[in-house]
Amino acid sequence: MDLGSSSGSNPTEEISPKLPSSSYKGVVPQHNGRWGAQIYEHHRRIWLGTFADEAEAARAYDIAAQRFRGRDAATNFPPLTETDPENASELTFLSAHSKVEIVDMLRKHTYHEELRHSRRNQQLGRNVGGRRTGTWSERELLFYKVVTPSDVGKLNRLVIPKQHAEKHFPLREGDKGEEGNKGVLLNFEDAEGKVWRFRYSYWNSSQSYVLTKGWSRFVKEKGLNPGDVVSFWRYFDGSDMMQLLIDCKNVQPGEEFAASSSSDVQMNESEENDDQGVRLFGVNIASSPGGSSSRGNTENR
């Protein structure tokens, strides 16, 4: 994502001199009565979105400033400190996400939701190795896929097998199509607690279900190559809210892995097709029924 792009808002709209200026740093008035937030980095303006409330726009600037400039950030409100537990958890959340991701959350107004999600997962605790002990020990496998060259290539999309897509991530008819406003956003948490947001769509031209926006970043960060395994899971927390989980394993051809930890994949060398014996998190995922139908953790655009 280009940090300098407007992403649906109109940051380049000229501000009339008759509009009152804001007393907050990084906040500009809009002609429609809303307030915009922006920050500069290397003499380049980065648009953070528009907000109904002036103070809300100022807080969005503060969030971005503390991610971009750390302890040196000049903020509108008292900055986050490590001495306060809630502040400390938010600082951890900021450091765990890239600048691009934080800007994307602010523009889409999902920052506070994802922060709450992260804090809830932190309460589940981690084991010594840093992986979730609550969510990941009680997860249920939905399905897995051995990725193809096109899944990790320049097409920047992952094709979800139709039977799994329609069972676990069903789309309403109004959400189908390849136009920019079609599809939904799916949130997945990986084993390290990082939240990944993918656009999930149905392409009429190829009659396929795909993960698009956000997928190429996942491929790059996880170092995925053809033949590696990506798995999809779900977990119900104490409030019966379902969370979607994602994990992957880099598999070397002919290599056999012992399922000694929750991220291990064990592959049977004697099988070479998609039905090969694969053990992921100690579960034989080649023979798993894949769980029951669910819409998933979706956000309509």
Side-chain angles (χ1 to χ4, degrees):
M1 181 182 72
D2 182 358
L3 286 174
S5 63
S6 62
S7 186
S9 300
N10 186 15
T12 60
E13 181 181 3
E14 294 184 1
I15 304 300
S16 168
K18 295 181 181 180
L19 292 176
S21 61
S22 174
S23 60
Y24 291 111
K25 184 177 180 63
V27 176
V28 292
Q30 304 290 286
H31 285 289
N32 59 5
R34 294 170 66 84
W35 297 87
Q38 61 187 21
I39 191 170
Y40 283 84
E41 184 177 49
H42 305 306
H43 307 289
R44 184 166 64 100
R45 180 171 64 168
I46 299 169
W47 188 248
L48 304 176
T50 56
F51 304 86
D53 184 75
E54 184 180 8
E56 184 184 2
R59 293 186 186 281
Y61 170 83
D62 286 0
I63 291 168
Q66 289 177 101
R67 177 60 185 87
F68 278 64
R69 296 169 187 145
R71 296 181 180 180
D72 296 330
T75 57
N76 295 294
F77 300 98
L80 301 173
T81 62
E82 295 181 354
T83 56
D84 180 270
E86 285 203 358
N87 282 192
S89 69
E90 186 167 356
L91 287 171
T92 300
F93 178 78
L94 284 172
S95 64
H97 293 81
S98 68
K99 295 177 183 178
V100 171
E101 290 172 322
I102 296 300
V103 169
D104 188 51
M105 293 178 203
L106 293 173
R107 289 177 177 174
K108 295 177 179 176
H109 299 263
T110 61
Y111 175 83
H112 295 290
E113 176 188 347
E114 297 204 21
L115 175 60
R116 286 193 297 270
H117 179 85
S118 175
R119 283 171 171 165
R120 183 171 63 246
N121 287 331
Q122 287 177 12
Q123 292 176 356
L124 294 174
R126 297 174 182 268
N127 64 10
V128 177
R131 301 179 71 89
R132 302 281 173 195
T133 59
T135 301
W136 287 88
S137 64
E138 301 171 8
R139 69 208 178 282
E140 175 189 352
L141 177 68
L142 298 178
F143 64 94
Y144 81 100
K145 182 180 182 183
V146 178
V147 296
T148 66
S150 63
D151 286 331
V152 295
K154 295 181 180 180
L155 295 178
N156 297 324
R157 60 95 179 101
L158 172 72
V159 175
I160 302 295
K162 184 177 181 180
Q163 69 272 26
H164 298 307
E166 294 182 345
K167 183 176 183 180
H168 302 297
F169 314 135
L171 284 172
R172 298 175 301 182
E173 286 300 320
D175 290 328
K176 292 185 178 181
E178 299 180 36
E179 296 82 0
N181 62 344
K182 296 293 185 178
V184 297
L185 295 178
L186 292 179
N187 288 336
F188 293 87
E189 181 186 343
D190 68 16
E192 282 67 47
K194 181 173 181 178
V195 176
W196 294 89
R197 185 192 299 108
F198 306 113
R199 174 161 290 284
Y200 172 62
S201 309
Y202 178 78
W203 285 359
N204 292 318
S205 58
S206 58
Q207 297 186 347
S208 57
Y209 293 89
V210 293
L211 296 182
T212 54
K213 184 177 181 181
W215 174 248
S216 60
R217 189 179 305 151
F218 183 85
V219 170
K220 182 178 180 180
E221 181 165 321
K222 303 298 184 181
L224 293 181
N225 292 298
D228 291 342
V229 178
V230 177
S231 60
F232 297 87
W233 309 72
R234 68 177 179 177
Y235 165 78
F236 290 95
D237 62 17
S239 63
D240 292 330
M241 180 180 294
M242 190 184 75
Q243 299 177 30
L244 294 176
L245 312 174
I246 187 171
D247 212 336
C248 60
K249 178 62 185 180
N250 304 113
V251 179
Q252 299 298 323
E255 182 177 357
E256 183 173 337
F257 295 86
S260 59
S261 72
S262 58
S263 65
D264 285 337
V265 178
Q266 190 174 61
M267 300 191 67
N268 185 344
E269 297 180 33
S270 65
E271 301 289 338
E272 298 181 354
N273 55 31
D274 283 351
D275 293 327
Q276 58 193 335
V278 180
R279 295 189 63 83
L280 194 60
F281 309 109
V283 177
N284 189 336
I285 56 181
S287 60
S288 171
S292 60
S293 175
S294 175
R295 169 68 186 267
N297 181 10
T298 64
E299 300 174 27
N300 284 310
R301 287 282 286 167

